[in-house]
Amino acid sequence: MDILDLIRCPSCGGPLHPETGCPGPGSLRCAAGHTFDVSKQGYVNLLPPGRASNQRSGDEAEMLRARRRFLSGGYYDRFSETVSEMAGDISGETVLFDLGSGDGYHTVRAAVNISQKHGCRVLALGFEASKNGAAMGCRLAEELGLHSRKLFECPGNAGTEVHFLPANIFRLPAADRCAGLVLSMFAPIPWDEAGRVLLPGGKLIAVSAGPDHLIEMRKVLYDRVETNDFLPEAPAGFRPAGRVSDRYTISVGNPGALGDLLKMTPHYYRATAENRERLLRKDGMELTVDVNCTVFELEG
Ligand SMILES: C[S@@+](CC[C@H](N)C(=O)[O-])C[C@H]1O[C@@H](n2cnc3c(N)ncnc32)[C@H](O)[C@@H]1O
Ligand SMILES: [Zn+2]
């Protein structure tokens, strides 16, 4: 199994093949003649054509950099470990799709953890609206020897590989029935597309915020704090197959991590400038992490 078995043309849905004889990192082409260049970081932009859809460019570059700096502090590393435990029994090889992969930090960690825990090869694809996010993911995976800038000269068909593709997860440029695992971490869940790409018996693992997630921060940012649970509800065809609720406290220093955390959440836009400043005047905070990892199995 390699990446070309998994991705599809975003215009017509056809398989993609490398164009021969072109200079640079290369390009892909479908039978209908739609072509897609491999970028210098080694991703192929599979966002659907048309300005409107491409304007939905996802997190801005600075929000993504803030996300990467914060995540690299290890505060949320437990999630990818939980995900690999909830993946169930895997032998041989599995295909993992991370939908809304952001800067790719969790995608890479989940692929490595699953591969080590289950002793299997993981072929992981992160689909993300932001080209910046896909580029950051490619660079991280390349540093770990899991990805090559020359997309089709990857570490080889024996080892775990991680690739990133700018794409709209609600129009996933991916083959039917090819993935054993679909991951959704703090991102919208495209249930129809997940149901289409998963193999029968495949699992969708959703990581979502619980009611008290970062509650201390939200109390500084808002006069009235909503304590919503963002537990996903699965449509027919998916069977709930387990949930782990994780709750712990993190010490987040300032300047640095607290500002990064603010920037990577929607609160950065939603809170008033005055309340954001009130938060950033703090030396640091003890914050509650409250998340749910929920598994859904696609019925066969
Ligand atoms: C809150 S971030 C989470 C990123 C990453 N999963 C993590 O946990 O670090 C949500 C991500 O979903 C992406 N996203 C939202 N809607 C999308 C869509 N329709 N297609 C592709 N990506 C999308 C955003 O660009 C953003 O990077
Ligand atoms: Zn095409």
Side-chain angles (χ1 to χ4, degrees), residues 9 11-14 30 32 34:
C9 173
S11 294
C12 69
C30 70
H34 304 118

Side-chain angles (χ1 to χ4, degrees), residues 32 40 49 61 65 88 98-99 127 135 137 140 153 162 197 215 227 258 265 269 275 280 289 292 294:
K40 66 178 191 301
R65 283 195 292 270
D98 186 8
L99 306 186
F127 294 91
L140 178 63
E153 292 174 19
V162 187
V197 299
I215 184 85
T227 49
L258 192 60
T265 67
Y269 294 117
N275 285 352
L280 295 176
V289 174
N292 296 299
T294 317

Side-chain angles (χ1 to χ4, degrees), residues 1-17 28-30 34 36 44-47 97 125 127 165-167 171-178 196-197:
M1 181 80 75
D2 79 31
I3 179 170
L4 291 179
D5 299 319
L6 307 176
I7 61 176
R8 291 290 179 265
C9 173
S11 294
C12 69
L16 292 164
H17 302 286
L28 299 180
R29 189 186 177 93
C30 70
H34 304 118
F36 306 89
V44 187
N45 179 1
L46 297 181
L47 281 164
F97 284 178
L125 268 53
F127 294 91
L165 300 143
R171 284 178 60 188
L172 213 50
D176 296 350
R177 303 258 173 272
C178 64
R196 179 179 67 79
V197 299

